[in-house]
């Protein structure tokens, strides 16, 4: 058990977030100052008298974790106290790709020595499963309700990894809770770089996705094995590593067990959307040369 | 009769009043309004857009309104803070828009699931500069329906932002109610309102909106002219103050707004008190309050905050009447009938 992120918090059994957080903190041996946007992680870890945090923890607002982290980092630098720990942001996908993208971009642009971790559970799960910029197409959420007129979310999943790379920051990677050792390696590698770092970790959400807790990790693995969640690593703008896929699976294998995609297998528009999602997976595989 | 939630009643009233555009961002305890609009607006040919934050949400609603659509957004405290600059913008450009704030305990993230009336002053005075904004308070589910509809009509009539203040109690309250028919703003099949007085994007060739102080599309820098402009903006909303008075001849009057009215309704059954229910806080129902104060010995103001609107009540009452005492009952607990009754009995004893 980690002393940095203790058990007894309020996460659902099977929640992906806690796997990502625990492995990140352990990889850095707790030498961190955490800045955490409003969201699931804040709520589950900071219930009254039941804080799970064994490291310095600053809950910021929804939109400002990047800027708060930038301030902390600049102050530590000015005070000559940078050796005391890494400044790490934990933020959800909505906080990262939607409301907080301005302060995140500013932090990247000034290249603060901050490790920004986006915990991507693909919707605003804390407020009741509303779509975010990182919600994948076709997903049924409370603000993209699948019905006669709309077949779930219409837009694509925002490519935050490319947006981070485009800022010219030294380290960008994606990861998945299906591969915790990979998370640890990437976190350790990231902090070797001076400047802004971005890691986006795919974290299944039991309630929002409509899955069972025991299926969270297998589904996260399927997302990778279908090429819907490419696992990539950029150093100084160069793609240095990808997780290769042997016998890539059709996207249906990943989509079918999830309630948020169930309508696609019944909706008149469903087949078209499924084909579109498969096309996205094919494009990912081609773009990152994922197939063995 | 059917069982309706306060937030749903707001959304239902909005659509019936002619609203065809909603832009919003998720936030507890207001999200049910957004969920309702996401489901129902496409069915009536309306447009639902989820934005990237609350700044964008109100901005999009303003843009849609400039293009002729009856539009709204809804949020709670933190999002309402982000909207403030846009509220001033819509007041200056005189673009009708309705902003619902389902209040929760703040400041900052506060207690997202707890009720509060902490945002009343922000609703009345939150944006910078001098500007008019109509502020309407909802007391229960029927209010959520009727007063939301009125908010849309007032926004159209006065060409001004209207803030509708609900709170976590009213928003999540479910009541058996009969919702009457309400009058819709005249809209065409594309959801556009006529708005003959207003420059509409796509209809009029000479649309010119600016956040700079301006009159008839002409930017103003002369301060006398600016003074006349601001005073005109205030005059537009001057006549819309609204209140309801029950047992107004009583010696003790309970001044309520929003959900505290429901607690006062229980008190009036067991104690000889009257109720002054403010339906608008901006403009403040001063004339009616003055009349009531002339007859009463005391006015008790229960509110779920540190005691804010009581300052307005004191200003009005003490400005016109020396014999009436104003008593504040300010608490961050839910205001229940016992809290008010205790204050009534204490006041009677002194």
């Amino acid at each position: 058990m980690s002393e940095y992120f203790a058990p007894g918090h309020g996460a659902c059994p099977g929640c992906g977030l806690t796997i990502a957080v625990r492995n990140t903190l352990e990889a850095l041996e707790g030498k961190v100052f955490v800045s955490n946007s409003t969201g699931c992680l804040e709520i589950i870890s900071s219930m009254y008298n039941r804080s799970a945090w064994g490291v310095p923890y600053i809950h910021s607002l929804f939109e400002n974790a990047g800027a708060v982290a930038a301030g902390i980092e600049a102050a530590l630098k000015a005070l000559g106290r940078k050796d005391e720990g890494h400044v790490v942001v934990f933020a959800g996908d909505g906080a990262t790709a939607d409301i907080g993208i301005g302060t995140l971009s500013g932090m990247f642009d000034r290249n603060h020595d901050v490790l920004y971790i986006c915990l991507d559970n693909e919707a605003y799960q804390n407020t009741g499963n509303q779509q975010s910029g990182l919600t994948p197409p076709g997903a049924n959420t409370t603000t993209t309700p699948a019905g006669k007129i709309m077949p779930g979310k219409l837009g694509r999943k925002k490519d935050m990894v490319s947006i981070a790379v485009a800022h010219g920051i030294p380290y960008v990677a994606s990861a998945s809770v299906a591969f915790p050792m990979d998370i640890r390696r990437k976190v350790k590698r990231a902090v070797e770089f001076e400047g802004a770092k971005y890691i986006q970790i795919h974290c299944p959400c039991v309630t929002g996705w409509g899955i069972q807790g025991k299926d969270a990790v297998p589904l996260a693995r399927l997302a990778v094995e279908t090429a819907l969640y490419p696992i990539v690593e950029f150093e100084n703008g160069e793609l240095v590593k990808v997780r290769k896929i042997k016998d890539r699976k059709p996207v249906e294998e990943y989509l079918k067990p999830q309630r948020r995609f169930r309508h696609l297998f019944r909706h008149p528009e469903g087949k078209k959307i499924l084909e579109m999602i498969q096309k996205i997976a094919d494009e990912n595989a081609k773009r990152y040369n994922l197939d063995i | 009769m059917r069982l309706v939630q306060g937030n749903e009643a707001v959304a239902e009233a909005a659509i019936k009043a002619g609203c065809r555009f909603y832009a919003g961002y998720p936030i507890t305890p207001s999200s049910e309004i957004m969920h309702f609009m996401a489901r129902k607006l496409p069915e009536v040919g309306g447009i639902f857009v989820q934005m990237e934050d609350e700044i964008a949400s109100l901005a999009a609603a303003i843009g849609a309104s400039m293009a002729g659509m009856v539009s709204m957004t809804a949020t709670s405290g933190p999002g309402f803070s982000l909207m403030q600059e846009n509220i001033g913008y819509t007041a200056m450009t005189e673009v009708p828009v309705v902003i619902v704030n389902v209040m929760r305990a703040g400041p900052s993230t506060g207690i997202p699931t707890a009720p509060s009336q902490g945002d009343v002053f922000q609703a009345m005075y939150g944006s910078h500069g001098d500007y008019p904004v109509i502020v309407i308070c909802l007391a229960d589910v029927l209010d959520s329906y009727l007063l939301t509809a009125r908010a849309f009509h007032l926004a159209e009539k006065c060409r001004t932002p209207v803030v509708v203040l609900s709170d976590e109690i009213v928003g999540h309250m479910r009541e058996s109610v009969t919702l009457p028919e309400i009058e819709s703003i005249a809209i065409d099949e594309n959801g556009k309102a006529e708005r003959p007085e207003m420059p509409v994007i796509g209809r009029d060739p000479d649309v010119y909106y600016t956040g700079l102080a301006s009159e008839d599309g002409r930017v103003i820098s002369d301060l006398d002219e600016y003074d006349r402009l601001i005073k005109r903006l205030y005059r537009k909303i001057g006549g819309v103050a609204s209140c309801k008075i029950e047992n107004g001849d009583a010696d003790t009057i309970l001044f309520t707004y929003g959900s505290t009215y429901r607690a006062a309704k229980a008190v009036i059954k067991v104690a000889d008190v009257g109720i002054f229910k403010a339906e608008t806080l901006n403009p403040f129902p001063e004339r009616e309050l003055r009349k009531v104060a002339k007859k009463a010995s005391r006015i008790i103001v229960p509110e779920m905050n540190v005691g804010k609107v009581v300052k307005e009540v004191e200003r009005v009452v003490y400005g016109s009447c020396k014999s009436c005492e104003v008593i504040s009952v300010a608490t961050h607990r839910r205001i229940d009938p016992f809290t008010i009754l205790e204050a009534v009995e204490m006041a009677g004893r002194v």
Side-chain angles (χ1 to χ4, degrees), chain B residues 68-89:
Chain B
M69 294 189 93
V70 180
S71 64
M72 73 174 293
T73 185
T75 187
S76 185
F80 194 57
S81 292
L82 291 183
M83 289 179 182
Q84 289 304 325
E85 190 182 16
N86 271 301
I87 290 177
Y89 177 75

mmCIF file of all heavy atoms in Angstrom, chain B residues 68-89:
data_model
loop_
_atom_site.group_PDB
_atom_site.id
_atom_site.type_symbol
_atom_site.label_atom_id
_atom_site.label_comp_id
_atom_site.label_asym_id
_atom_site.label_seq_id
_atom_site.Cartn_x
_atom_site.Cartn_y
_atom_site.Cartn_z
ATOM 1 N N GLY B 68 -30.620 36.740 -33.124
ATOM 2 C CA GLY B 68 -32.077 36.728 -33.087
ATOM 3 C C GLY B 68 -32.723 35.616 -32.291
ATOM 4 O O GLY B 68 -33.939 35.551 -32.199
ATOM 5 N N MET B 69 -31.942 34.719 -31.699
ATOM 6 C CA MET B 69 -32.560 33.616 -30.964
ATOM 7 C C MET B 69 -32.764 33.974 -29.506
ATOM 8 O O MET B 69 -31.942 34.667 -28.899
ATOM 9 C CB MET B 69 -31.704 32.357 -31.070
ATOM 10 C CG MET B 69 -31.638 31.819 -32.483
ATOM 11 S SD MET B 69 -30.864 30.209 -32.555
ATOM 12 C CE MET B 69 -32.297 29.148 -32.439
ATOM 13 N N VAL B 70 -33.851 33.477 -28.939
ATOM 14 C CA VAL B 70 -34.093 33.635 -27.503
ATOM 15 C C VAL B 70 -33.174 32.628 -26.817
ATOM 16 O O VAL B 70 -33.289 31.422 -27.051
ATOM 17 C CB VAL B 70 -35.571 33.367 -27.164
ATOM 18 C CG1 VAL B 70 -35.804 33.530 -25.672
ATOM 19 C CG2 VAL B 70 -36.464 34.308 -27.968
ATOM 20 N N SER B 71 -32.247 33.112 -25.989
ATOM 21 C CA SER B 71 -31.191 32.217 -25.527
ATOM 22 C C SER B 71 -30.934 32.340 -24.041
ATOM 23 O O SER B 71 -31.291 33.329 -23.404
ATOM 24 C CB SER B 71 -29.906 32.489 -26.304
ATOM 25 O OG SER B 71 -29.456 33.791 -26.029
ATOM 26 N N MET B 72 -30.293 31.314 -23.514
ATOM 27 C CA MET B 72 -30.023 31.275 -22.074
ATOM 28 C C MET B 72 -28.779 30.441 -21.774
ATOM 29 O O MET B 72 -28.257 29.729 -22.626
ATOM 30 C CB MET B 72 -31.199 30.649 -21.315
ATOM 31 C CG MET B 72 -31.312 29.153 -21.492
ATOM 32 S SD MET B 72 -32.595 28.367 -20.457
ATOM 33 C CE MET B 72 -31.964 28.567 -18.795
ATOM 34 N N THR B 73 -28.354 30.540 -20.514
ATOM 35 C CA THR B 73 -27.353 29.628 -19.960
ATOM 36 C C THR B 73 -27.721 29.402 -18.504
ATOM 37 O O THR B 73 -28.519 30.145 -17.943
ATOM 38 C CB THR B 73 -25.918 30.173 -20.108
ATOM 39 O OG1 THR B 73 -25.000 29.177 -19.641
ATOM 40 C CG2 THR B 73 -25.712 31.448 -19.318
ATOM 41 N N ALA B 74 -27.153 28.370 -17.897
ATOM 42 C CA ALA B 74 -27.388 28.120 -16.475
ATOM 43 C C ALA B 74 -26.101 27.630 -15.844
ATOM 44 O O ALA B 74 -25.270 27.003 -16.504
ATOM 45 C CB ALA B 74 -28.493 27.080 -16.280
ATOM 46 N N THR B 75 -25.932 27.939 -14.565
ATOM 47 C CA THR B 75 -24.683 27.593 -13.898
ATOM 48 C C THR B 75 -24.881 27.616 -12.391
ATOM 49 O O THR B 75 -25.999 27.722 -11.898
ATOM 50 C CB THR B 75 -23.561 28.572 -14.336
ATOM 51 O OG1 THR B 75 -22.321 28.110 -13.796
ATOM 52 C CG2 THR B 75 -23.824 29.984 -13.839
ATOM 53 N N SER B 76 -23.755 27.513 -11.659
ATOM 54 C CA SER B 76 -23.772 27.733 -10.215
ATOM 55 C C SER B 76 -22.583 28.645 -9.882
ATOM 56 O O SER B 76 -21.853 29.053 -10.780
ATOM 57 C CB SER B 76 -23.684 26.396 -9.474
ATOM 58 O OG SER B 76 -23.826 26.621 -8.087
ATOM 59 N N GLY B 77 -22.393 28.923 -8.598
ATOM 60 C CA GLY B 77 -21.447 29.951 -8.143
ATOM 61 C C GLY B 77 -20.151 30.107 -8.911
ATOM 62 O O GLY B 77 -19.901 31.166 -9.489
ATOM 63 N N PRO B 78 -19.283 29.080 -8.956
ATOM 64 C CA PRO B 78 -17.996 29.265 -9.632
ATOM 65 C C PRO B 78 -18.155 29.674 -11.093
ATOM 66 O O PRO B 78 -17.415 30.531 -11.593
ATOM 67 C CB PRO B 78 -17.349 27.880 -9.512
ATOM 68 C CG PRO B 78 -17.967 27.282 -8.291
ATOM 69 C CD PRO B 78 -19.384 27.777 -8.281
ATOM 70 N N GLY B 79 -19.120 29.072 -11.776
ATOM 71 C CA GLY B 79 -19.367 29.427 -13.173
ATOM 72 C C GLY B 79 -19.930 30.828 -13.296
ATOM 73 O O GLY B 79 -19.594 31.571 -14.226
ATOM 74 N N PHE B 80 -20.761 31.210 -12.319
ATOM 75 C CA PHE B 80 -21.360 32.549 -12.337
ATOM 76 C C PHE B 80 -20.269 33.612 -12.186
ATOM 77 O O PHE B 80 -20.331 34.668 -12.813
ATOM 78 C CB PHE B 80 -22.389 32.644 -11.201
ATOM 79 C CG PHE B 80 -23.302 33.836 -11.301
ATOM 80 C CD1 PHE B 80 -24.072 34.053 -12.423
ATOM 81 C CD2 PHE B 80 -23.390 34.726 -10.248
ATOM 82 C CE1 PHE B 80 -24.919 35.148 -12.508
ATOM 83 C CE2 PHE B 80 -24.233 35.828 -10.320
ATOM 84 C CZ PHE B 80 -24.998 36.043 -11.454
ATOM 85 N N SER B 81 -19.262 33.303 -11.373
ATOM 86 C CA SER B 81 -18.124 34.226 -11.240
ATOM 87 C C SER B 81 -17.450 34.435 -12.593
ATOM 88 O O SER B 81 -17.107 35.556 -12.959
ATOM 89 C CB SER B 81 -17.095 33.673 -10.247
ATOM 90 O OG SER B 81 -17.615 33.677 -8.937
ATOM 91 N N LEU B 82 -17.263 33.342 -13.330
ATOM 92 C CA LEU B 82 -16.606 33.455 -14.634
ATOM 93 C C LEU B 82 -17.442 34.246 -15.637
ATOM 94 O O LEU B 82 -16.916 34.799 -16.590
ATOM 95 C CB LEU B 82 -16.311 32.060 -15.206
ATOM 96 C CG LEU B 82 -15.253 31.239 -14.492
ATOM 97 C CD1 LEU B 82 -15.025 29.914 -15.212
ATOM 98 C CD2 LEU B 82 -13.933 31.992 -14.394
ATOM 99 N N MET B 83 -18.747 34.289 -15.443
ATOM 100 C CA MET B 83 -19.633 34.962 -16.401
ATOM 101 C C MET B 83 -19.706 36.468 -16.212
ATOM 102 O O MET B 83 -20.290 37.168 -17.043
ATOM 103 C CB MET B 83 -21.059 34.401 -16.280
ATOM 104 C CG MET B 83 -21.195 33.000 -16.811
ATOM 105 S SD MET B 83 -22.880 32.402 -16.594
ATOM 106 C CE MET B 83 -22.709 30.739 -17.252
ATOM 107 N N GLN B 84 -19.145 36.968 -15.128
ATOM 108 C CA GLN B 84 -19.428 38.362 -14.761
ATOM 109 C C GLN B 84 -19.070 39.378 -15.842
ATOM 110 O O GLN B 84 -19.826 40.308 -16.101
ATOM 111 C CB GLN B 84 -18.726 38.728 -13.451
ATOM 112 C CG GLN B 84 -19.337 38.056 -12.223
ATOM 113 C CD GLN B 84 -20.809 38.336 -12.048
ATOM 114 O OE1 GLN B 84 -21.284 39.422 -12.364
ATOM 115 N NE2 GLN B 84 -21.547 37.366 -11.555
ATOM 116 N N GLU B 85 -17.917 39.230 -16.481
ATOM 117 C CA GLU B 85 -17.540 40.225 -17.489
ATOM 118 C C GLU B 85 -18.546 40.236 -18.635
ATOM 119 O O GLU B 85 -18.929 41.302 -19.140
ATOM 120 C CB GLU B 85 -16.123 39.948 -18.014
ATOM 121 C CG GLU B 85 -15.596 41.095 -18.883
ATOM 122 C CD GLU B 85 -14.218 40.811 -19.453
ATOM 123 O OE1 GLU B 85 -13.785 39.653 -19.445
ATOM 124 O OE2 GLU B 85 -13.590 41.781 -19.934
ATOM 125 N N ASN B 86 -18.987 39.034 -19.023
ATOM 126 C CA ASN B 86 -19.982 38.938 -20.094
ATOM 127 C C ASN B 86 -21.336 39.507 -19.691
ATOM 128 O O ASN B 86 -22.109 39.933 -20.551
ATOM 129 C CB ASN B 86 -20.133 37.477 -20.539
ATOM 130 C CG ASN B 86 -19.162 37.115 -21.648
ATOM 131 O OD1 ASN B 86 -19.175 37.726 -22.695
ATOM 132 N ND2 ASN B 86 -18.312 36.145 -21.399
ATOM 133 N N ILE B 87 -21.652 39.484 -18.402
ATOM 134 C CA ILE B 87 -22.925 40.070 -17.952
ATOM 135 C C ILE B 87 -22.900 41.580 -18.197
ATOM 136 O O ILE B 87 -23.850 42.164 -18.719
ATOM 137 C CB ILE B 87 -23.195 39.733 -16.464
ATOM 138 C CG1 ILE B 87 -23.502 38.234 -16.322
ATOM 139 C CG2 ILE B 87 -24.365 40.569 -15.919
ATOM 140 C CD1 ILE B 87 -23.707 37.748 -14.904
ATOM 141 N N GLY B 88 -21.785 42.199 -17.867
ATOM 142 C CA GLY B 88 -21.652 43.630 -18.153
ATOM 143 C C GLY B 88 -21.704 43.906 -19.646
ATOM 144 O O GLY B 88 -22.306 44.884 -20.097
ATOM 145 N N TYR B 89 -21.104 43.012 -20.428
ATOM 146 C CA TYR B 89 -21.097 43.184 -21.893
ATOM 147 C C TYR B 89 -22.522 43.156 -22.455
ATOM 148 O O TYR B 89 -22.899 43.977 -23.280
ATOM 149 C CB TYR B 89 -20.241 42.087 -22.541
ATOM 150 C CG TYR B 89 -20.234 42.142 -24.047
ATOM 151 C CD1 TYR B 89 -19.500 43.110 -24.718
ATOM 152 C CD2 TYR B 89 -20.965 41.241 -24.806
ATOM 153 C CE1 TYR B 89 -19.497 43.185 -26.100
ATOM 154 C CE2 TYR B 89 -20.974 41.297 -26.190
ATOM 155 C CZ TYR B 89 -20.234 42.269 -26.835
ATOM 156 O OH TYR B 89 -20.247 42.332 -28.198
#
